[in-house]
Amino acid sequence: MMRRSHGRPFPVGRWLIYGFLTFMAGLFLLPVYVMGVTSLKPFAEVSLDAMWKLPSSISLEGYARAWSKLAPHFWNSVALVIPATLLSAALGSLNGYIFSKWRFPGSETLFTAFLFGMFIPYQSILIPLIQFLQRIGLYNSIPGLILVHVVYGLPITTLIFRNFYAGIPDELLEAARIDGAGLLRTYASVMVPLSIPAFVVVAVWQFTNIWNEFLFAVTLTTPRSQPVMVALQNLSGSQIVQWNVQMAGALIAALPTLLVYLVLGKYFIRGLLAGSVKG
């Protein structure tokens, strides 16, 4: 065994584990490295032979061109993901509260039906979904896309909140009832303040899924209202692909989810450990 400076043994196996994890992390980050260096190169330096090489001079031309094409769609994604995440979190919280603390005849059957929604493939409901949105006048619009993501996100958000609320002692609710609080007042005064970790888990989960989703975005909206992931696909030209622009656009599109994980990552882990996704 190796020894630390203060004399306690440091197992060699731990160094091997750290070395292996460092190697795997570096291997995992290789595509990010290629994206980063390619996005900072002028187009003349972009080639397969020079893929691993650092740029001779840093150029932000790729970012400027990518942003000029992605900017309207980037803000479309912002207008989509914020209300869709908030609504699905709020409705999932209410559903989870009812299913965990205010059970009624048939509640387990209804909850099972909710969960079944998570396993329905997008492709199987695409045509009736388009027909439905056309009938209610929300096809080819951001509000229609918000509705779709809220409804499709309800099963997983309901499950997360139900499992989280199941761990909250019933005595807290009984105390609120004794004080005269009804269903909604108990929810607002007792459950919501206790469920911040679950809200963080749901917010990170929904934000990431909605921001990165492609199928609904490309089929339910017109080019003018398409989110950024669809516009990113359209950055590649039909004849010549400007890889510096493509890589810069990919990094721009990935930046919001990266920031969400950097800001909320530790709270996300705490929410998971608090039992919000336990079975």
Side-chain angles (χ1 to χ4, degrees):
M1 289 186 179
M2 301 182 64
R3 289 187 174 272
R4 299 180 185 176
S5 58
H6 53 269
R8 287 192 298 176
F10 196 99
V12 175
R14 183 170 296 180
W15 283 110
L16 294 176
I17 293 174
Y18 288 161
F20 174 75
L21 293 177
T22 302
F23 171 77
M24 294 303 296
L27 192 64
F28 181 79
L29 292 174
L30 278 178
V32 180
Y33 166 79
V34 173
M35 289 174 62
V37 297
T38 303
S39 68
L40 294 173
K41 292 177 181 179
F43 181 66
E45 293 186 21
V46 177
S47 67
L48 287 176
D49 295 334
M51 180 174 61
W52 302 101
K53 296 180 181 179
L54 293 173
S56 59
S57 60
I58 294 178
S59 171
L60 298 179
E61 175 187 2
Y63 285 94
R65 290 188 178 182
W67 179 249
S68 66
K69 296 179 180 180
L70 293 181
H73 305 280
F74 183 93
W75 297 119
N76 285 342
S77 288
V78 173
L80 161 67
V81 73
I82 292 177
T85 299
L86 293 177
L87 285 172
S88 58
L91 293 176
S93 175
L94 280 169
N95 287 340
Y97 170 56
I98 297 298
F99 282 125
S100 63
K101 299 300 183 183
W102 293 79
R103 296 185 179 182
F104 51 89
S107 61
E108 290 298 326
T109 302
L110 183 58
F111 178 66
T112 302
F114 259 89
L115 295 186
F116 180 74
M118 291 192 298
F119 305 103
I120 300 176
Y122 290 0
Q123 296 85 349
S124 65
I125 52 91
L126 202 55
I127 293 177
L129 179 61
I130 291 174
Q131 294 174 340
F132 172 75
L133 291 177
Q134 287 174 336
R135 289 185 179 181
I136 64 175
L138 292 180
Y139 182 64
N140 285 337
S141 68
I142 293 296
L145 204 53
I146 291 173
L147 175 63
V148 170
H149 282 295
V150 168
V151 172
Y152 229 100
L154 277 179
I156 184 62
T157 59
T158 299
L159 174 65
I160 291 173
F161 278 108
R162 178 185 180 272
N163 290 343
F164 183 86
Y165 289 148
I168 295 178
D170 292 337
E171 289 77 11
L172 292 176
L173 278 71
E174 293 296 334
R177 290 179 189 142
I178 292 173
D179 291 338
L183 186 148
L184 293 179
R185 185 179 172 187
T186 302
Y187 168 75
S189 302
V190 178
M191 304 301 282
V192 171
L194 294 174
S195 56
I196 300 303
F199 273 105
V200 172
V201 172
V202 167
V204 173
W205 178 273
Q206 283 295 94
F207 186 98
T208 304
N209 284 344
I210 295 171
W211 186 274
N212 293 329
E213 197 277 327
F214 182 81
L215 180 61
F216 286 150
V218 76
T219 55
L220 301 181
T221 55
T222 59
R224 184 176 180 181
S225 58
Q226 284 172 341
V228 68
M229 288 303 167
V230 181
L232 180 62
Q233 170 65 25
N234 296 333
L235 272 183
S236 57
S238 58
Q239 300 294 331
I240 299 176
V241 179
Q242 294 180 306
W243 286 110
N244 57 333
V245 177
Q246 191 81 7
M247 297 301 179
L251 290 174
I252 291 173
L255 185 60
T257 52
L258 176 62
L259 291 177
V260 166
Y261 275 101
L262 288 177
V263 173
L264 299 177
K266 62 179 181 180
Y267 303 105
F268 180 76
I269 298 300
R270 289 177 187 174
L272 293 177
L273 296 177
S276 57
V277 293
K278 289 182 180 179

